[in-house]
Amino acid sequence: MAPEQGQEGNAPTQPEAMECYTQAPGFRDSACLLQEWVAFGLASQRADSEWRSDMLERFKGTRAEARLARAMVMAWGPVAQWKQASELLKADLHAAPSKLQPLLRYWLNELERRRDLQYRHYQVLEEQKNLEADKQALEEKLDALTDIERNINSRE
């Protein structure tokens, strides 16, 4: 239902409230700027791969707002996309409206923390793999020494 034109209190706020929950956030300076981006960030976090694929296709443009939206989609996608998401956020953060920059910085910092944790996880896995290989080599040496000891004991 459209807001009534004659009422002064409803006319300016009703259309903006309807814009607050669009699927494509932008930079237009409205009362819903932060709400739109937060909603989009949450949708990106909860979405499935099909939604992410559709959004990446939708935000192929080179405008800063499209690149930042694409970065948000990638930030919650596969780990392989996190670096590119970080680069996009760093490159275009300054182009966002000043009201939106703290939120984008927060998301960038959160993404960098996840990237760091993922890197540490890979390091631990690599170290574990190396330790397993060292353990296997030591077990083989121990078996060889045990065989040598048996041979020596059998000769006596």
Side-chain angles (χ1 to χ4, degrees), residues 3-5 7-19 31-32:
E4 293 183 31
Q5 297 293 333
Q7 295 180 343
E8 293 175 9
N10 288 343
T13 57
Q14 287 270 344
E16 285 181 5
M18 289 174 18
E19 293 175 7
C32 299

Side-chain angles (χ1 to χ4, degrees), residues 2-149:
E4 293 183 31
Q5 297 293 333
Q7 295 180 343
E8 293 175 9
N10 288 343
T13 57
Q14 287 270 344
E16 285 181 5
M18 289 174 18
E19 293 175 7
C20 282
Y21 301 104
T22 62
Q23 265 198 327
F27 284 170
R28 64 188 171 280
D29 193 22
S30 71
C32 299
L33 181 70
L34 286 175
Q35 292 170 331
E36 287 176 349
W37 279 89
V38 168
F40 185 73
L42 289 172
S44 297
Q45 185 176 2
R46 297 174 181 147
D48 59 8
S49 60
E50 182 180 333
W51 184 89
R52 281 191 187 84
S53 178
D54 289 346
M55 290 296 117
L56 288 175
E57 188 68 30
R58 184 180 202 176
F59 294 114
K60 275 191 167 183
T62 58
R63 293 183 344 265
E65 59 190 359
R67 289 169 46 94
L68 287 169
R70 194 166 61 241
M72 284 314 308
V73 172
M74 287 188 282
W76 291 105
V79 175
Q81 294 179 339
W82 290 1
K83 181 179 181 185
Q84 186 180 3
S86 174
E87 290 169 355
L88 286 172
L89 279 167
K90 288 175 185 174
D92 292 319
L93 184 103
H94 69 282
S98 60
K99 286 177 16 177
L100 188 58
Q101 287 183 11
L103 177 65
L104 294 173
R105 266 192 219 98
Y106 173 80
W107 283 342
L108 174 60
N109 291 338
E110 192 276 332
L111 175 59
E112 291 300 325
R113 278 191 295 273
R114 282 189 289 131
R115 286 182 67 208
D116 184 54
L117 287 173
Q118 188 66 33
Y119 177 72
R120 288 184 201 176
H121 176 73
Y122 285 139
Q123 283 181 319
V124 167
L125 289 178
E126 190 64 30
E127 186 177 335
Q128 181 181 8
K129 191 167 80 173
N130 290 338
L131 289 172
E132 288 289 332
D134 290 348
K135 178 185 170 205
Q136 182 66 33
L138 288 172
E139 286 175 350
E140 290 172 8
K141 288 179 183 178
L142 182 61
D143 289 343
L145 288 172
T146 303
D147 288 343
I148 291 170
E149 183 181 18

